[in-house]
Amino acid sequence: MLPCQHPPPPPPVFILLEYFLLCLLCLLCRCCLHAEPGDGVQTWARFSRAPSPEAAGFLYDTFPDGFLWAVGSAAYQTEGGWRQHGKGASIWDTFTHRPAPSLPPFLPHPATGDVAGDSYNHIFRDTEGLRQLGVTHYRFSISWARVLPNGGGVGAGPPNLEGLRYYRRLLERLRELRVEPVVTLYHWDLPQRLQDIYGGWANRTVVDLFRDYAELCFRQFGGQVKYWITIDNPYVVAWHGYSTGRLAPGVRGNKRLGYQVAHNLLLAHAQVWHLYNTSFRSTQGGQVSIALSSHWISPRKMTEHDLKECQKSLDFVLGWFAKPIFIDGDYPQSMKENLSSLLPNFTESEKNFIKGTADFFALSFGPTLSFQLLDPHMKFRQLESPSLRQFLLWRMAGLFQVPPRRDDAKYMYYLKKFIMETLKAIKYDGVEVIGYTVWSLMDGFEWHRGYSIRRGLFYIDFLSHDKKLLPKSSALFYQKLIERNGFPSLPENLPIEGTFPCGFAWGVVDNYIQVDTTPSQFNDPNVYVWDIHQSKKLIRVDGVVTSKRKPHCVDFAAIRLQISLLREIHITHFYFSLKWSQILPLGNQSQVNETILHYYRCFVSELVRVNITPIVALWQPTTEHQGLPFLLAKHGGWENPLIINSFEEYARLCFKELGQYVKFWITMNEPHIQNLTYNAGHNLLKAHAQVWHLYDQNFRRSQKGKISIALQADWIEPACPFSQKDKEVAERVLEFDIGWLAEPIFGTGDYPHVMREWLNQRNNFLLPYFTKSEKKLIQGSFDFLALSHYTTILVDWEKEDPVKYNDYLEVQEMTDSTWLNSPSRVAVVPWGLRKMLNWFKSKYGDIPVYIIANGIDDDPLRTQDKLRTYYIQNYVNEALKAHTLDGVRLCGYFVYSFNDRTAPKFGLYHYAANQFEPKPSMNHYRKIIDNNGFPGPETQRRFCPEEFILCNECSFFQTRKSLLAFIAFLLLAFIATLSLIFYYSRRS
């Protein structure tokens, strides 16, 4: 093995990648091969550290000018015409035609490539697909048995002229389209006669026959082909064709036979390379290599032992073929040490003959090595990983595979992920990749899986006569990608500069404030004696008490601490929820917890005193009794219509006791629609409306406040932007998740039509109906729109993963692996907030909107708090875009959450050992607040006069009367003393 050197000039690397879903990607790079056991250490060490959010997130950039975009196919998978025009049988014809009982268990049912995509009869159709995609290169393979039906050799007969004519026509059509061919000589379909007579690749005679076949191809097609691949994936051919028998020719031999076949494949490749180099290169000017396969492996622990095991795993798969060809003509040392006599030996002349027989490096890469064909023992108990970028940084490249159906969203996102990783390898790591090829052009026969899966960019109905190519979503995605040469940064992706309007509400939210009603020492009527001689403690004197004074808000130390922390953030508003079950333990006013009520009154009055506006929710669902008083929960909770009047009675008490300080009320905070029955949601809406009208009629004039409901509103994005069905699914989910409660209040006064129609179609008539008076009561029962938003969810209409499939709405939840994710796997998608705000505006018009909660969890062990800082920065900027560019009437933004004590991992303050410590994200948010957004050099500065809330009840003088009286007394005594001193000094 040889460390990376830089010979002038370095050979190009033609890289073919293969993901377990078989999306064949061809990457061409200029680099040298890292192969020393220690060479992977730096890569493994670098990626063992968590990247910054910026590096881990989506990279908006383009590939280098002249980047090559391509697609590929293989003869047996797509050509069909297995007996047409003199074609001979191949080992795959025989393998798939065996009677079902003799088939290995890997084939669930007999399936053949007899017809497949019928490419043999549809050259124009296939090349039209290439033209639609706009690719620059097309990789395909020549069927050995089509051009030499018997494989060649003595008595094999002449070449098949019809077969040769087919490939000439294909190459001519590619020339017309200016698409460069990349031709594979052997993609697993050995002529059956060579298997019958010689035992296939186990016999060295086939090595010489392969050379003769290659010479025929070079003479017939070499003038139009500049890139040749001798053999595709020799690991699969040797190991699963002749050792495990999983693939054709299905020989279940021993390990020794597998290694012998690999030995012969290396010699066959070298013979063909030397043939081209000596006889054809000077006239045809092409290049020849072999397409190798590999995976990527990560150590379980960063120990020397695990790192060596990882290197050994790569040696046994990639190094098995790469080291003899690219390094020194011999097998990796780790293989020779572990396999002993099982591994054949090269003579010195053979080593020199094999060494350097490649003009570029072509690699099949994937976590399951060509559709789950990596033997488990070759992982050496380490962790297989799909990280293409790490592999590219290791100076490699590769090949993947994609998809079924026309709306193949899942596979489109796999494709997106690996192309993104390639782009990052170019931009961040300096790897010189010059091209990328997707496999496969069209659906075809998928080897041991038959037709049970589809991996083409184009869909084919195999039962149809004409077998038209129909582009899938992945084809449309790839087409747009080629047009743009990557992911250029569009205007909507760029951050903007600007500020929010004066009076914009900057806040934080806490589910529930810390309630500690323990009386302070100054409110304790007992008398104590200090034992300074023995115990050194205060001892209460029994039977002696002082007169008990009236409690004051300053007695609550917990309030002082929370207020001081809030002031530190520079917020203008603070949002929290009351606990209904604590204020009214029995659910009615027969028992009112005056202590808790007094605490809340003190808290909101202290907020107002320091000029922080409280926003208070009356009810928030919790796991314990749904956040309801026990008796109400016991009698059905929101299922029971009697709870409506109970909620109104509770709200009346809160308005009466706290309304002089609270100017923003939320009736209900984020009702969990997943846990709501339709009947419960019906009662909840009526309860909200009754409380809104209660405030409007009885309290608004005197208290001058506002009231609404807060809904959770995560954005739902169609997985396939080209799919009308996915768009319909996304709209359906939005209506069920948000419109269910929003439409009656902010819209028509009734449930969404989409919701009612969907349920009726499925004979579900459980959604209640509102009376005319109820519609009138509910419609318009808001003063503003309060929404909480955390993430964006992708949805697809076809079932892929039963775990994430909603049978009720017939929707499949998906993920985009290019998105950033929090430790709890919540996606960070800032643009989703802007789309959500615009959706509300388009449906409900120009109403005031408050983003009442927006936040993400982060790893508490990461002191830098980078993800939350990134999250706040970008989500606030998207909110600014919605306000400035889209005209959304945005009035406020609140970060979730205040501290880790009440919302672990979400807080702006870290909590430990009764201490609160500000995180870097708090300081970052404070800076945004101080700037009122993101002012730039050209941003016109607004002068915003500081607003103070006038409150006679909570002014400094009102809340500190006792203290002021005492100070006044001291001042009067001081003046009297000075007067007496002055008087007597004059007399004397």
Side-chain angles (χ1 to χ4, degrees):
M1 298 185 180
L2 189 69
C4 183
Q5 300 170 356
H6 301 280
V13 178
F14 200 160
I15 299 166
L16 310 165
L17 299 170
E18 183 165 22
Y19 194 60
F20 70 90
L21 295 160
L22 281 186
C23 134
L24 180 60
L25 314 147
C26 268
L27 301 170
L28 299 98
C29 328
R30 290 185 178 88
C31 62
C32 52
L33 182 67
H34 280 257
E36 284 293 339
D39 285 347
V41 174
Q42 290 186 350
T43 301
W44 286 311
R46 173 177 173 179
F47 285 94
S48 67
R49 301 184 294 271
S52 68
E54 290 79 8
F58 197 86
L59 172 61
Y60 290 102
D61 208 335
T62 56
F63 286 83
D65 292 340
F67 194 80
L68 307 181
W69 296 102
V71 70
S73 66
Y76 187 76
Q77 291 184 285
T78 60
E79 282 185 5
W82 79 290
R83 282 181 169 174
Q84 201 168 343
H85 297 156
K87 176 188 175 293
S90 74
I91 57 175
W92 270 97
D93 292 320
T94 304
F95 188 68
T96 56
H97 287 168
R98 286 181 297 176
S102 67
L103 288 174
F106 316 114
L107 273 173
H109 60 274
T112 73
D114 291 359
V115 180
D118 202 19
S119 290
Y120 182 72
N121 297 300
H122 291 88
I123 285 179
F124 186 80
R125 177 206 66 181
D126 293 356
T127 52
E128 272 299 288
L130 299 174
R131 187 189 60 77
Q132 280 183 256
L133 291 173
V135 295
T136 60
H137 287 63
Y138 177 44
R139 182 191 181 219
F140 66 93
S141 71
I142 294 174
S143 170
W144 189 345
R146 192 175 296 283
V147 298
L148 287 172
N150 292 311
V154 178
N160 179 13
L161 298 181
E162 287 295 325
L164 294 173
R165 188 175 294 115
Y166 164 71
Y167 292 112
R168 285 198 204 97
R169 287 167 51 220
L170 174 57
L171 289 167
E172 180 59 28
R173 178 63 179 152
L174 293 177
R175 187 186 65 80
E176 292 173 4
L177 295 175
R178 297 182 179 178
V179 174
E180 186 81 22
V182 180
V183 179
T184 302
L185 292 171
Y186 183 73
H187 202 123
W188 310 0
D189 50 353
L190 185 75
Q192 182 61 40
R193 178 176 175 271
L194 302 186
Q195 184 65 35
D196 294 339
I197 296 177
Y198 303 107
W201 287 106
N203 193 314
R204 284 213 183 186
T205 303
V206 176
V207 173
D208 297 325
L209 295 177
F210 181 60
R211 179 196 176 282
D212 296 341
Y213 157 61
E215 182 174 4
L216 172 67
C217 293
F218 293 154
R219 292 190 186 281
Q220 294 289 330
F221 315 122
Q224 295 170 279
V225 179
K226 301 304 177 187
Y227 291 103
W228 293 95
I229 301 289
T230 56
I231 300 167
D232 180 85
N233 209 333
Y235 167 87
V236 170
V237 175
W239 196 252
H240 292 298
Y242 293 86
S243 182
T244 67
R246 294 185 67 180
L247 302 181
V251 177
R252 302 181 191 180
N254 51 33
K255 291 182 179 181
R256 185 187 302 276
L257 182 61
Y259 291 120
Q260 182 60 54
V261 168
H263 200 73
N264 291 341
L265 289 170
L266 282 165
L267 292 170
H269 157 77
Q271 277 211 31
V272 171
W273 186 90
H274 282 289
L275 167 68
Y276 190 87
N277 191 53
T278 57
S279 304
F280 296 96
R281 190 186 301 276
S282 60
T283 56
Q284 296 181 359
Q287 299 182 61
V288 180
S289 190
I290 186 172
L292 303 181
S293 60
S294 188
H295 58 306
W296 181 245
I297 199 85
S298 295
R300 290 186 178 275
K301 296 180 181 179
M302 288 297 290
T303 62
E304 182 178 355
H305 173 268
D306 283 3
L307 291 173
K308 286 183 177 179
E309 293 296 284
C310 284
Q311 184 63 47
K312 190 188 298 181
S313 177
L314 295 173
D315 285 347
F316 268 65
V317 180
L318 175 62
W320 186 3
F321 301 93
K323 185 172 178 285
I325 295 171
F326 292 93
I327 307 300
D328 59 5
D330 202 0
Y331 295 116
Q333 188 62 33
S334 60
M335 290 187 74
K336 293 197 286 187
E337 291 173 354
N338 282 268
L339 298 176
S340 184
S341 61
L342 289 177
L343 196 66
N345 295 315
F346 289 116
T347 64
E348 287 303 316
S349 61
E350 286 174 336
K351 290 178 184 179
N352 293 327
F353 186 70
I354 293 172
K355 177 183 176 182
T357 54
D359 301 316
F360 53 89
F361 193 94
L363 174 73
S364 295
F365 168 81
T368 49
L369 187 61
S370 303
F371 45 80
Q372 301 162 351
L373 292 175
L374 176 66
D375 277 8
H377 73 271
M378 290 191 179
K379 299 177 188 178
F380 292 92
R381 295 177 294 280
Q382 303 307 307
L383 303 174
E384 196 175 1
S385 166
S387 179
L388 169 59
R389 183 182 169 194
Q390 292 185 38
F391 207 95
L392 288 173
L393 184 58
W394 199 60
R395 294 301 185 265
M396 296 295 175
L399 161 113
F400 313 82
Q401 298 231 114
V402 195
R405 297 174 314 275
R406 292 193 64 188
D407 289 339
D408 54 343
K410 179 178 180 180
Y411 310 100
M412 181 180 73
Y413 284 106
Y414 282 128
L415 184 61
K416 179 183 177 184
K417 173 186 176 180
F418 290 110
I419 294 176
M420 171 54 60
E421 290 211 341
T422 303
L423 181 60
K424 287 184 176 180
I426 294 170
K427 298 295 182 178
Y428 292 160
D429 308 324
V431 179
E432 190 178 353
V433 183
I434 64 170
Y436 191 99
T437 301
V438 174
W439 187 279
S440 167
L441 173 63
M442 71 195 83
D443 293 337
F445 177 79
E446 294 299 338
W447 310 115
H448 67 304
R449 292 188 177 184
Y451 296 101
S452 61
I453 56 173
R454 293 172 177 265
R455 297 190 173 106
L457 293 178
F458 286 87
Y459 174 88
I460 293 182
D461 181 356
F462 295 113
L463 300 180
S464 67
H465 176 69
D466 56 4
K467 293 182 172 56
K468 291 182 179 178
L469 292 188
L470 301 174
K472 301 180 187 177
S473 298
S474 54
L476 300 175
F477 165 78
Y478 193 49
Q479 179 188 45
K480 291 292 184 185
L481 187 76
I482 293 171
E483 284 180 10
R484 298 172 179 173
N485 196 35
F487 310 96
S489 188
L490 304 175
E492 58 265 30
N493 305 136
L494 298 172
I496 65 169
E497 295 176 343
T499 57
F500 290 91
C502 292
F504 189 79
W506 292 103
V508 294
V509 57
D510 211 352
N511 290 333
Y512 298 102
I513 60 171
Q514 179 190 350
V515 176
D516 184 0
T517 58
T518 304
S520 71
Q521 58 182 340
F522 302 108
N523 204 36
D524 187 352
N526 294 294
V527 176
Y528 297 85
V529 175
W530 186 13
D531 183 5
I532 62 173
H533 297 293
Q534 296 181 2
S535 66
K536 310 292 184 183
K537 297 180 180 178
L538 291 173
I539 301 174
R540 191 177 67 181
V541 179
D542 294 332
V544 180
V545 294
T546 61
S547 58
K548 188 174 182 180
R549 68 171 175 81
K550 183 179 178 180
H552 297 291
C553 292
V554 292
D555 295 332
F556 298 119
I559 292 180
R560 294 199 304 272
L561 175 60
Q562 291 177 86
I563 297 293
S564 66
L565 294 176
L566 291 171
R567 293 186 70 184
E568 204 174 52
I569 310 174
H570 296 181
I571 56 171
T572 62
H573 292 64
F574 178 62
Y575 176 42
F576 68 96
S577 300
L578 302 175
K579 288 191 175 181
W580 185 358
S581 59
Q582 288 191 356
I583 295 175
L584 296 178
L586 301 180
N588 55 51
Q589 294 194 40
S590 62
Q591 182 180 335
V592 179
N593 189 332
E594 296 291 348
T595 303
I596 291 293
L597 206 53
H598 174 65
Y599 187 92
Y600 282 132
R601 192 184 302 114
C602 285
F603 190 87
V604 293
S605 67
E606 287 297 297
L607 283 174
V608 173
R609 185 181 67 80
V610 297
N611 211 37
I612 295 176
T613 301
I615 299 182
V616 179
L618 294 170
W619 172 74
Q620 175 171 311
T622 62
T623 53
E624 186 179 8
H625 310 312
Q626 306 172 53
L628 303 172
F630 173 73
L631 290 178
L632 294 182
K634 181 181 177 181
H635 288 91
W638 291 108
E639 292 281 346
N640 191 336
L642 296 177
I643 197 174
I644 298 172
N645 291 330
S646 298
F647 186 60
E648 183 179 1
E649 182 182 0
Y650 161 62
R652 186 186 299 274
L653 173 66
C654 294
F655 295 154
K656 180 181 176 182
E657 295 294 329
L658 308 176
Q660 63 188 30
Y661 309 110
V662 179
K663 304 307 175 188
F664 285 88
W665 289 97
I666 299 293
T667 55
M668 297 143 180
N669 181 53
E670 297 184 25
H672 293 163
I673 57 99
Q674 294 85 356
N675 301 326
L676 275 183
T677 64
Y678 293 129
N679 193 52
H682 201 69
N683 292 332
L684 188 146
L685 283 166
K686 290 192 286 186
H688 156 78
Q690 282 195 193
V691 168
W692 187 89
H693 284 283
L694 167 69
Y695 189 84
D696 188 57
Q697 295 166 9
N698 300 333
F699 296 94
R700 189 188 299 277
R701 182 174 297 177
S702 60
Q703 297 181 359
K704 297 179 175 58
K706 298 178 181 180
I707 185 169
S708 192
I709 188 172
L711 303 176
Q712 180 170 343
D714 290 332
W715 178 242
I716 308 298
E717 179 76 3
C720 281
F722 318 104
S723 168
Q724 184 59 35
K725 287 187 177 181
D726 278 6
K727 292 177 183 178
E728 292 171 2
V729 164
E731 189 63 28
R732 180 161 67 244
V733 176
L734 284 170
E735 294 292 3
F736 270 82
D737 281 5
I738 304 169
W740 178 8
L741 300 181
E743 183 65 24
I745 297 171
F746 301 96
T748 61
D750 202 355
Y751 296 114
H753 292 297
V754 170
M755 191 175 179
R756 180 80 67 186
E757 289 171 3
W758 178 261
L759 294 174
N760 289 346
Q761 288 171 11
R762 281 144 189 81
N763 297 318
N764 185 329
F765 304 105
L766 296 178
L767 188 64
Y769 287 85
F770 293 114
T771 64
K772 286 186 177 180
S773 60
E774 288 173 340
K775 288 181 182 179
K776 185 177 179 181
L777 180 79
I778 296 171
Q779 186 179 19
S781 56
F782 69 92
D783 298 318
F784 54 89
L785 168 63
L787 64 90
S788 55
H789 175 91
Y790 304 99
T791 188
T792 291
I793 299 167
L794 283 175
V795 293
D796 186 23
W797 70 276
E798 287 199 278
K799 189 172 184 176
E800 289 276 1
D801 180 2
V803 176
K804 294 185 177 181
Y805 186 76
N806 184 330
D807 291 288
Y808 188 65
L809 295 181
E810 296 182 9
V811 57
Q812 176 70 60
E813 185 177 327
M814 300 186 65
T815 56
D816 183 341
S817 53
T818 64
W819 289 351
L820 269 177
N821 283 278
S822 72
S824 63
R825 306 306 299 168
V826 174
V828 179
V829 192
W831 51 258
L833 173 60
R834 184 180 176 187
K835 286 195 174 186
M836 188 76 258
L837 292 170
N838 277 282
W839 185 81
F840 269 109
K841 182 186 177 186
S842 66
K843 282 186 68 71
Y844 305 123
D846 187 26
I847 58 178
V849 180
Y850 290 84
I851 301 168
I852 208 72
N854 179 237
I856 197 76
D857 63 295
D858 203 355
D859 189 340
L861 300 179
R862 294 181 188 165
T863 57
Q864 295 305 309
D865 196 33
K866 291 180 180 178
L867 181 61
R868 184 175 294 101
T869 300
Y870 175 89
Y871 183 97
I872 293 172
Q873 170 79 14
N874 287 276
Y875 273 84
V876 174
N877 199 265
E878 290 297 320
L880 180 62
K881 291 178 189 177
H883 167 72
T884 305
L885 304 179
D886 307 329
V888 174
R889 197 172 159 195
L890 189 61
C891 300
Y893 173 89
F894 290 66
V895 166
Y896 181 84
S897 169
F898 177 25
N899 62 72
D900 285 344
R901 180 173 184 174
T902 51
K905 301 181 182 180
F906 282 85
L908 293 176
Y909 283 89
H910 175 70
Y911 176 79
N914 293 320
Q915 297 292 322
F916 292 91
E917 181 182 349
K919 300 178 183 177
S921 56
M922 189 281 281
N923 295 317
H924 187 76
Y925 183 46
R926 180 171 62 188
K927 181 180 178 181
I928 294 174
I929 294 173
D930 292 342
N931 291 325
N932 199 32
F934 307 94
E938 299 180 2
T939 304
Q940 188 174 359
R941 288 279 184 172
R942 287 193 183 99
F943 173 70
C944 295
E946 190 173 356
E947 296 182 8
F948 289 93
I949 301 171
L950 297 177
C951 174
N952 294 330
E953 298 290 335
C954 53
S955 67
F956 178 83
F957 297 101
Q958 183 69 24
T959 57
R960 301 290 188 270
K961 285 192 292 186
S962 300
L963 176 63
L964 292 173
F966 180 66
I967 293 174
F969 172 76
L970 291 177
L971 183 60
L972 183 63
F974 179 70
I975 294 172
T977 302
L978 285 178
S979 299
L980 289 173
I981 293 172
F982 180 75
Y983 172 74
Y984 283 109
S985 63
R986 289 289 301 273
R987 287 191 59 183
S988 60

